[in-house]
Amino acid sequence: MTLSESRWQRIRREGWLRCVLVRGALVWGVTFALAFAVVEVMTGRASDFWRAVPDNLPLGFVAGAFYGWGQWGYSQLQSLKEKQEE
């Protein structure tokens, strides 16, 4: 078992809800909202960082959920690929 195979098996074992909500919406979504707030402050679109973060959170949560959903689907494909190779 290689390192990448164990990663996909771990994601699959944790379940789709954890993948979509925790890994996707919370971890990736909040990180996205913070990074997007920095970009908005740097470009002058927003004047205050801490006011820009809550404005970007809904978009971050939705984008993160799509990311988590995609990661879950990819882990399912990798799992099927591993079973076919055996």
Side-chain angles (χ1 to χ4, degrees), residues 50-86:
W50 294 111
R51 288 187 184 173
V53 172
D55 292 341
N56 293 323
L57 276 176
L59 176 63
F61 289 149
V62 171
F66 277 112
Y67 170 78
W69 191 32
Q71 188 177 37
W72 174 255
Y74 188 75
S75 71
Q76 295 300 312
L77 290 174
Q78 291 301 317
S79 176
L80 287 174
K81 188 176 179 181
E82 288 173 12
K83 287 180 182 179
Q84 289 176 354
E85 290 176 357
E86 292 177 358

Side-chain angles (χ1 to χ4, degrees), residues 34-65:
L34 291 170
F36 200 68
V38 168
V39 170
E40 284 186 334
V41 170
M42 290 174 61
T43 60
R45 187 166 181 214
S47 59
D48 185 26
F49 173 76
W50 294 111
R51 288 187 184 173
V53 172
D55 292 341
N56 293 323
L57 276 176
L59 176 63
F61 289 149
V62 171

Side-chain angles (χ1 to χ4, degrees), residues 16-34 56-71:
W16 74 271
L17 193 62
R18 179 176 168 88
C19 187
V20 172
L21 293 180
V22 176
R23 287 177 177 263
L26 289 180
V27 174
W28 196 90
V30 171
T31 305
F32 172 81
L34 291 170
N56 293 323
L57 276 176
L59 176 63
F61 289 149
V62 171
F66 277 112
Y67 170 78
W69 191 32
Q71 188 177 37

